Amino acid sequence: MGLFDRFRRRSTGGPAAVRARLEGAMAKRRLRGWNPPLENINTLVASGGPRLLARSRELVVTNGYAANACEAFAANLVGDGIKPSSLIGDADLRDRVQRLWLAWTDEADADGLTDFYGLQAMVAREMFVAGECFVRALLHKSAADRTSPFPGQIYPATSVMGVPSAVKPLSTATRTWNSAT
């Protein structure tokens, strides 16, 4: 037995000893006063969510650190935009799909404020601030003035107060769109 062996902690073994070694599960002096509630996360969000969301929105507007963190999150998540590339084998079809995609990205915003990549950045910022964001694809009956019949529209989580009674869960709408070539 060496000189320092007397000072080493002796292992007591067993799963209970392993569990107690986790710092977050210990009840030592530092953590004795920390007794978090054992409520469901949905209950906590329902009770304090609106106030937390208002505070987080205000921080992003008034605090430079929070604004920079939001912009860094959006820049790291989206960058210049998530740009898909087609794996279609036929070169003519691949070029046609690429041209249609590029034409649609310019008109992707139903409000006409930005393009598809700007929408991605707006969704990333809203996700950072509120944790969620809703995007609605609008189906236009007339595609004469647009390249795409379905531009997107972004709604912050605070503007959606529930599912309208006319919307059935998991229902989908399909529409065929033929481009003029």
Side-chain angles (χ1 to χ4, degrees), residues 57 119 122-123 126-127 130-137 152-163:
R57 286 194 190 284
L119 288 176
M122 288 170 63
V123 167
E126 186 65 22
M127 193 174 91
E132 62 185 352
C133 181
F134 297 96
V135 179
R136 179 176 76 159
Q153 196 169 28
I154 295 178
Y155 292 98
T158 54
S159 65
V160 179
M161 296 310 243
V163 178

Side-chain angles (χ1 to χ4, degrees), residues 89-170:
D90 183 17
D92 293 334
L93 180 60
R94 184 176 56 239
D95 290 340
R96 185 171 173 230
V97 167
Q98 184 67 21
R99 281 193 310 272
L100 284 172
W101 171 259
L102 291 174
W104 176 79
T105 58
D106 293 336
E107 297 178 353
D109 186 9
D111 298 325
L113 301 174
T114 185
D115 60 357
F116 178 66
Y117 306 112
L119 288 176
Q120 289 178 5
M122 288 170 63
V123 167
R125 286 185 202 100
E126 186 65 22
M127 193 174 91
F128 180 83
V129 173
E132 62 185 352
C133 181
F134 297 96
V135 179
R136 179 176 76 159
L138 302 173
L139 298 175
H140 289 287
K141 291 182 181 177
S142 171
D145 59 337
R146 302 183 73 91
T147 305
S148 167
F150 51 99
Q153 196 169 28
I154 295 178
Y155 292 98
T158 54
S159 65
V160 179
M161 296 310 243
V163 178
S165 60
V167 177
K168 295 179 183 173
L170 302 176

Side-chain angles (χ1 to χ4, degrees), residues 1-180:
M1 183 181 232
L3 178 65
F4 293 108
D5 288 339
R6 282 185 272 173
F7 300 110
R8 288 190 185 150
R9 182 184 296 169
R10 298 201 169 122
S11 72
T12 55
V18 171
R19 239 189 340 261
R21 286 189 201 138
L22 297 174
E23 187 175 344
M26 290 184 175
K28 301 283 183 179
R29 180 181 51 85
R30 277 188 311 132
L31 300 174
R32 192 173 300 141
W34 184 24
N35 294 314
L38 293 174
E39 296 178 54
N40 184 334
I41 187 66
N42 294 327
T43 307
L44 293 172
V45 168
S47 65
R51 179 180 292 134
L52 182 63
L53 180 59
R55 287 177 179 171
S56 107
R57 286 194 190 284
E58 182 188 10
L59 275 176
V60 168
V61 170
T62 61
N63 187 312
Y65 291 116
N68 286 340
C70 182
E71 289 302 317
F73 177 81
N76 287 320
L77 183 67
V78 176
D80 291 335
I82 300 167
K83 298 176 180 153
S85 60
S86 176
L87 297 176
I88 297 173
D90 183 17
D92 293 334
L93 180 60
R94 184 176 56 239
D95 290 340
R96 185 171 173 230
V97 167
Q98 184 67 21
R99 281 193 310 272
L100 284 172
W101 171 259
L102 291 174
W104 176 79
T105 58
D106 293 336
E107 297 178 353
D109 186 9
D111 298 325
L113 301 174
T114 185
D115 60 357
F116 178 66
Y117 306 112
L119 288 176
Q120 289 178 5
M122 288 170 63
V123 167
R125 286 185 202 100
E126 186 65 22
M127 193 174 91
F128 180 83
V129 173
E132 62 185 352
C133 181
F134 297 96
V135 179
R136 179 176 76 159
L138 302 173
L139 298 175
H140 289 287
K141 291 182 181 177
S142 171
D145 59 337
R146 302 183 73 91
T147 305
S148 167
F150 51 99
Q153 196 169 28
I154 295 178
Y155 292 98
T158 54
S159 65
V160 179
M161 296 310 243
V163 178
S165 60
V167 177
K168 295 179 183 173
L170 302 176
S171 66
T172 59
T174 58
R175 181 171 183 264
T176 305
W177 176 64
N178 295 322
S179 68

